[in-house]
């Protein structure tokens, strides 16, 4: 969520949770609020930064979503390097995967989604979301992150959204677009996000989180889960938090110095 620079999403992380076979399969989406152009990939393997591939789908094809083998063929044609799948697997992911293989485990978690929303100084908005989905998911499972309107949506007329949480629940209520609908009806980003998250919880029992920026630069980071890491930069001021009600503030310069 940034004010001065134009939206730019070159990379949204590396590595992921593992599916039931211990492999990394990732989904990603990117959307330009000016033209409503969007690109997405799903169930891709051996790609370090699937958001880059999603952007190429948006910019270099007439399509909006490529999946699995076709997405990897497109990546090869575009010169996107493949890397060995094991290089995307951390020891923590391997431990979580092994633990979730145990009887009576409950692997319904989504700890690896990374999202971004932005507005530039001309009022153009954009969103991007990238994830490995649910730990120990079925091979080939695709969640909300590759689905326009669920994992993200951007429209200069209203604003931009990126979502995280239980993908199947978000797809049922089309969460990102639902939030923008409430904003179209006059709600603030905070009100719209809370209303949509509450509806998802009561209607289908789903939990999640969202980051929102309006076309006027107002923003919100809201969640119904126990926690969600978030940060925003506006006019050289950094704000961030993890738990409900937690907001820390510093200058961007201070944050860079501490790093």
């Amino acid at each position: 969520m940034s004010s001065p620079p134009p939206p730019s999403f070159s990379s949204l992380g590396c590595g992921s949770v593992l599916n039931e076979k211990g492999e990394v399969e990732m989904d990603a989406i990117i959307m330009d609020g000016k033209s409503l152009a969007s690109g997405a990939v799903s169930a891709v393997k051996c790609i370090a930064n699937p958001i880059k591939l999603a952007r190429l789908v948006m910019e270099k094809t007439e399509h909006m979503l490529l999946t699995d083998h076709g997405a990897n063929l497109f990546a090869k044609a575009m010169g996107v390097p493949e890397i060995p799948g094991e290089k995307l697997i951390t020891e923590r992911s391997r431990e979580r995967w092994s633990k979730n293989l145990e009887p009576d485990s409950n692997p319904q978690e989504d700890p690896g989604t990374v999202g971004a929303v932005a507005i530039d100084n001309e009022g153009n908005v954009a969103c991007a979301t990238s994830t490995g989905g649910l730990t120990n998911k079925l091979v080939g499972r695709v969640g909300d992150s590759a689905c326009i309107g669920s994992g993200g949506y951007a429209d200069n007329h209203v604003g931009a959204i990126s979502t995280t949480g239980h993908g199947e629940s978000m797809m049922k209520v089309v969460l990102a677009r639902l939030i923008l609908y409430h904003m179209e009806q006059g709600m603030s980003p905070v009100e719209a996000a809370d209303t949509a998250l509450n509806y998802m919880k009561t209607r289908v029992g789903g939990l999640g989180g969202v980051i929102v920026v309006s076309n006027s630069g107002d923003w919100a980071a809201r969640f119904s889960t126990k926690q969600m890491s978030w940060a925003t930069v506006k006019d050289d001021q950094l704000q961030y938090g993890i738990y409900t009600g937690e907001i820390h503030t510093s200058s961007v310069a201070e944050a860079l110095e501490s790093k």
Side-chain angles (χ1 to χ4, degrees):
M1 289 172 272
S2 179
S3 193
S8 177
F9 306 108
S10 60
S11 174
L12 281 182
C14 179
S16 178
V17 298
L18 308 182
N19 66 18
E20 63 178 351
K21 288 191 174 181
E23 302 170 331
V24 170
E25 289 183 316
M26 296 196 70
D27 306 331
I29 192 169
I30 190 168
M31 188 167 184
D32 178 356
K34 184 176 182 179
S35 63
L36 299 188
S38 182
V41 293
S42 66
V44 294
K45 299 178 180 178
C46 302
I47 301 294
N49 303 112
I51 197 68
K52 291 184 176 181
L53 187 56
R55 184 166 186 166
L56 287 171
V57 172
M58 178 178 71
E59 296 177 343
K60 302 297 184 181
T61 80
E62 297 180 356
H63 306 309
M64 291 181 66
L65 172 62
L66 295 180
T67 191
D68 195 18
H69 182 59
N72 282 91
L73 288 177
F74 175 69
K76 186 175 182 179
M78 290 290 102
V80 177
E82 287 193 2
I83 64 173
E86 57 268 21
K87 288 189 176 295
L88 297 176
I89 300 174
T90 65
E91 186 60 33
R92 182 184 178 190
S93 292
R94 182 72 71 183
E95 290 174 358
R96 184 187 296 119
W97 172 76
S98 297
K99 183 178 181 180
N100 285 327
L101 292 177
E102 298 173 1
D104 300 322
S105 66
N106 182 21
Q108 298 300 307
E109 55 178 312
D110 182 15
T113 299
V114 182
V117 294
I119 181 170
D120 68 11
N121 53 10
E122 295 181 352
N124 298 305
V125 299
C127 73
T129 310
S130 180
T131 189
L134 301 175
T135 303
N136 294 57
K137 65 185 181 181
L138 293 176
V139 173
R141 178 265 188 185
V142 176
D144 65 291
S145 293
C147 300
I148 189 170
S150 295
Y153 201 86
D155 184 345
N156 277 11
H157 293 170
V158 192
I161 317 285
S162 178
T163 68
T164 182
H166 187 245
E168 281 72 11
S169 296
M170 288 186 282
M171 287 189 282
K172 289 175 183 178
V173 301
V174 196
L175 183 61
R177 192 61 188 85
L178 179 61
I179 293 171
L180 287 186
Y181 167 77
H182 289 314
M183 291 169 64
E184 288 171 332
Q185 305 308 305
M187 289 188 183
S188 69
V190 169
E191 293 170 331
D194 286 349
T195 299
L197 287 169
N198 287 336
Y199 174 74
M200 184 173 73
K201 183 177 181 179
T202 57
R203 185 69 176 86
V204 298
L207 301 178
V210 300
I211 51 175
V212 186
V213 64
S214 73
N215 60 0
S216 62
D218 295 328
W219 62 271
R222 310 294 288 180
F223 48 98
S224 55
T225 51
K226 291 181 179 180
Q227 63 187 64
M228 182 183 78
S229 300
W230 63 270
T232 178
V233 175
K234 185 175 182 179
D235 298 329
D236 198 40
Q237 184 183 66
L238 170 68
Q239 291 184 297
Y240 59 95
I242 298 178
Y243 300 102
T244 301
E246 179 185 22
I247 300 179
H248 302 286
T249 302
S250 70
S251 70
V252 174
E254 290 172 342
L256 292 175
E257 287 176 4
S258 65
K259 181 179 179 182

